[in-house]
Amino acid sequence: MTATAHAVARLRTARLARSAKPFLARGGIKGERCTGCRLVPSHCICALRPELPTHAGVCLLMADIEPLKPSNTGWLIADVVADTFAFGWARTEVDPALLELLADPQWQPYVVFPGEFVEPQRVVTQLIEIDPTDQTSARTRPLFVLLDATWPEARKMFRKSPYLDRFPVLSLEPDQVSRYRLRRSRRDDHFCTSEVAALCLDMAGEPRAAQTLEAWLDVFTHHYLQAKHQLPADLESDAHHRLRGLRVRIA
């Protein structure tokens, strides 16, 4: 693990240190994996990784084993968005650093969750407009709080995290179908964590960051599945071309 390991990588390291036995991912390739991208070395994508500063930030509340899963896409958010924070979730205790982050006056937290399960008065479908000339409004940067878990786990986390109750709930209404192919879902309108983050970034007026995260997910998915089937990665795929184009524009 390098000195520049991002928030999810550090959380994974801490979670592994607490494990009584090695974590074995279900299915897929067994054996050596790159510590930077979690893929087998022959399909490593670390050299392709984009990273860009954003006005918005992302706070990941991760269910216990999510940081350990090679298919977890919260990791991809931390790859791309410099201001990504990651915390393990537990019902009985809260990381003081999480509470400190939520109280930081530069951030306006939004809990991203379907509005149909929330009291209507908490639900917003757009970001709160901030007048930049208003000196009393310190919270000028959106912080998207994402519950990184299976859907049943996420519902439990939402109900049993009272420290989130004072924040607005951002309910997304996307019209596209999820492209995520690494875990099964019974519904096409269930999005993986990085897809949700891309939607949030776009809503925050950062379309280039959103497009970069979408392309990064597609590149990661391609390499992951090619490695799983013991096939070489196609570095000239549409996803690779899109990512390269975005990286040139960022530079």
Side-chain angles (χ1 to χ4, degrees):
M1 191 67 64
T2 66
T4 58
H6 56 53
V8 180
R10 295 194 300 270
L11 185 60
R12 181 181 187 273
T13 298
R15 179 60 181 81
L16 284 171
R18 300 197 310 271
S19 299
K21 58 183 179 179
F23 174 79
L24 299 177
R26 183 183 304 172
I29 301 291
K30 300 295 191 298
E32 183 184 1
R33 290 181 182 269
C34 171
T35 58
C37 66
R38 304 159 299 158
L39 296 170
V40 294
S42 60
H43 289 67
C44 173
I45 57 173
C46 288
L48 306 177
R49 172 184 167 183
E51 183 180 3
L52 62 159
T54 59
H55 183 66
V58 177
C59 174
L60 297 167
L61 291 187
M62 307 185 77
D64 184 50
I65 66 169
E66 282 298 328
L68 303 181
K69 295 178 180 178
S71 59
N72 174 269
T73 67
W75 185 289
L76 304 180
I77 301 169
D79 282 341
V80 174
V81 179
D83 282 325
T84 298
F85 309 88
F87 302 93
W89 184 86
R91 183 180 62 83
T92 57
E93 54 186 301
V94 186
D95 190 328
L98 169 60
L99 299 179
E100 183 178 349
L101 173 67
L102 296 174
D104 188 327
Q106 72 175 304
W107 298 110
Q108 170 57 64
Y110 295 88
V111 183
V112 183
F113 201 75
E116 60 191 290
F117 301 101
V118 187
E119 301 88 342
Q121 63 270 22
R122 286 188 66 194
V123 177
V124 298
T125 56
Q126 299 291 332
L127 302 192
I128 299 169
E129 291 190 15
I130 304 280
D131 182 354
T133 64
D134 184 358
Q135 299 299 315
T136 65
S137 298
R139 294 179 178 270
T140 59
R141 301 181 66 188
L143 179 69
F144 300 109
V145 180
L146 308 184
L147 308 182
D148 192 5
T150 64
W151 175 235
E153 288 173 327
R155 293 185 67 176
K156 175 183 176 181
M157 291 163 67
F158 183 83
R159 293 195 311 270
K160 297 184 180 295
S161 301
Y163 48 89
L164 298 178
D165 290 349
R166 68 184 187 275
F167 301 118
V169 173
L170 179 62
S171 181
L172 301 175
E173 300 175 350
D175 56 6
Q176 68 264 44
V177 173
S178 174
R179 302 197 305 272
Y180 185 56
R181 294 180 289 150
L182 302 187
R183 299 189 212 170
R184 294 180 180 177
S185 176
R186 296 180 181 178
R187 294 174 53 176
D188 288 337
D189 60 348
H190 279 184
F191 290 81
C192 72
T193 306
S194 69
E195 288 177 313
V196 172
L199 291 168
C200 291
L201 290 168
D202 192 55
M203 183 178 291
E206 305 200 57
R208 185 176 298 179
Q211 294 164 17
T212 301
L213 185 52
E214 289 173 347
W216 188 232
L217 170 64
D218 289 344
V219 167
F220 173 78
T221 300
H222 173 75
H223 282 249
Y224 186 103
L225 292 176
Q226 292 297 100
K228 181 177 179 180
H229 298 296
Q230 300 183 36
L231 296 171
D234 178 9
L235 301 182
E236 299 303 320
S237 71
D238 289 343
H240 286 82
H241 279 291
R242 282 191 288 114
L243 183 64
R244 282 198 290 268
L246 288 161
R247 292 185 67 176
V248 169
R249 288 164 57 193
I250 292 168

